[in-house]
Amino acid sequence: MALVLHAGKNNKNAVKALIAAQYCDVEVKLAENFEMGVTNKSPEFLKMNPIGKVPVLETPEGPVFESNAIARYVTRIKADNPLFGSTLIDYGHIEQWTDFAAMEIDVNISKWLYPRLGYGVHLPLAEEHAIASLKRALDALNTHLASNTYLVGHSVSLADIVMTCNLYLGFSQIMTKSFTSEFPHVERYFWTMVNQPNFKKILGEVKQAESVPPVASKKPAAQPKETKPKAKNEPKKEPKKEVEKPAKAEAAEEEEAPKPKPKNPLDLLPPSKMILDEWKRLYSNTKTNFREVAIKGILVVSVIVLSSQ
């Protein structure tokens, strides 16, 4: 039974397994009539991957999802596969560069590209950070490739397949020649890999992006207003004469005059004979025996005022 890969034909995550299958002489075929956004939301697909992401590999033992896991599964079908290296340290380095390709290359290319295509919010500061992080990763890769033809050893490994497929998204969609020229060893490596027969059979002719995609506009296009054709010989409508309102109706429409505010009961009291400034001076100048002088002073004044009223 052939392995069935559920994904679109040009999905860069799906081609990892397809290229690995070419090197391993394993039969992997794409699912027929796969339609992104429809097939991956069907109940049958969700049984294989509950979150509906692609690719998914259908095997006799059950489904496998996550693209790097699928590529590893296909590679391990063949015993003693050179794609995994010949020593334990080779295997460790292959895993190292596979993770580097995912976390440093693929992530930052995606953060730069997808918001520009409308798959997310485009934030200039976030884009600058993604480009800076990508350049940092490419600089590290460029340094390694300055003295190495392949990532590990002297032949193609699974790390080269994963790295090239992740670089393929950038080279073909957003990384122009003026951008990649800063990393000549990465350029040499990429074009060497995509022109290998097993890569070329899956990817076809690869062309580098000529420009950075513009930021997708989210504003809907303005629709032209519909104009109704004027009917010929249509009689003119006479303006309606305003009916005079009776005086009582006009009076009712007018705003009511504001009612006078009720008087405060305290305003009815006679003016106070207490001189507040004198007590303030007494209060401020009292340094000792405060209770007997200042407080008693206001009580005496209050009694005098009340008794005079």
Side-chain angles (χ1 to χ4, degrees):
M1 174 184 174
L3 304 174
V4 180
L5 189 62
H6 296 263
K9 183 179 180 180
N10 297 321
N11 185 301
K12 60 96 178 171
N13 287 325
V15 299
K16 297 175 188 177
L18 295 175
I19 294 171
Q22 292 294 316
Y23 278 94
C24 301
D25 195 24
V26 174
E27 185 180 1
V28 178
K29 65 178 183 178
L30 287 170
E32 296 180 358
N33 303 319
F34 182 88
E35 186 178 352
M36 190 64 185
V38 178
T39 307
N40 60 310
K41 292 183 178 180
S42 66
E44 293 79 12
F45 187 94
L46 295 175
K47 287 181 181 178
M48 296 188 293
N49 186 349
I51 59 177
K53 287 187 175 182
V54 297
V56 172
L57 183 68
E58 191 176 355
T59 78
E61 295 83 14
V64 179
F65 57 82
E66 294 298 332
S67 61
N68 289 347
I70 294 171
R72 290 185 181 101
Y73 176 90
V74 172
T75 303
R76 284 192 176 279
I77 291 175
K78 183 178 179 180
D80 301 323
N81 196 323
L83 289 180
F84 274 122
S86 57
T87 65
L88 182 59
I89 191 63
D90 283 349
Y91 173 76
H93 286 158
I94 289 168
E95 290 294 294
Q96 163 194 292
W97 286 110
T98 298
D99 289 348
F100 182 90
M103 302 306 298
E104 302 296 338
I105 302 297
D106 188 43
V107 165
N108 290 309
I109 289 175
S110 300
K111 287 180 179 179
W112 181 15
L113 175 63
Y114 291 139
R116 283 185 165 268
L117 299 180
Y119 302 108
V121 180
H122 179 264
L123 300 173
L125 289 177
E127 181 178 87
E128 289 179 13
H129 184 267
I131 294 172
S133 299
L134 177 60
K135 285 186 174 182
R136 180 171 175 267
L138 290 174
D139 188 57
L141 180 61
N142 193 67
T143 300
H144 177 74
L145 292 172
S147 56
N148 294 277
T149 303
Y150 303 100
L151 291 177
V152 181
H154 302 287
S155 61
V156 174
S157 69
L158 183 61
D160 294 305
I161 295 174
V162 174
M163 180 69 77
T164 302
C165 289
N166 288 345
L167 287 171
Y168 169 73
L169 177 67
F171 269 84
S172 63
Q173 296 291 326
I174 198 167
M175 289 163 51
T176 60
K177 176 63 179 176
S178 61
F179 180 86
T180 59
S181 60
E182 297 181 33
F183 315 101
H185 302 298
V186 175
E187 284 187 321
R188 183 264 308 160
Y189 168 79
F190 176 76
W191 294 114
T192 299
M193 296 306 300
V194 296
N195 283 292
Q196 297 290 316
N198 287 331
F199 279 82
K200 202 165 188 177
K201 186 175 181 179
I202 302 300
L203 296 176
E205 292 291 335
V206 179
K207 293 183 179 181
Q208 189 164 6
E210 296 181 356
S211 62
V212 175
V215 178
S217 175
K218 293 187 177 181
K219 293 182 179 179
Q223 296 181 352
K225 295 181 180 180
E226 294 183 1
T227 54
K228 295 182 179 180
K230 294 183 179 179
K232 294 182 179 180
N233 302 325
E234 186 177 329
K236 294 182 179 180
K237 295 182 180 179
E238 295 183 1
K240 294 182 180 180
K241 295 181 179 180
E242 293 184 0
V243 181
E244 294 185 1
K245 297 180 181 179
K248 291 183 179 180
E250 290 181 1
E253 290 180 357
E254 293 180 357
E255 294 183 359
E256 294 183 1
K259 297 179 180 179
K261 294 182 179 180
K263 291 184 178 181
N264 191 324
L266 296 177
D267 294 339
L268 302 176
L269 295 173
S272 173
K273 295 180 180 181
M274 177 181 177
I275 303 174
L276 186 59
D277 290 337
E278 290 184 4
W279 183 83
K280 286 182 179 179
R281 284 193 291 271
L282 178 65
Y283 179 86
S284 300
N285 296 328
T286 300
K287 304 300 180 183
T288 59
N289 202 12
F290 182 81
R291 182 184 298 273
E292 294 295 328
V293 180
I295 301 301
K296 186 176 180 181
I298 193 171
L299 291 175
V300 170
V301 172
S302 300
V303 170
I304 294 171
V305 170
L306 293 172
S307 62
S308 64
Q309 295 179 358

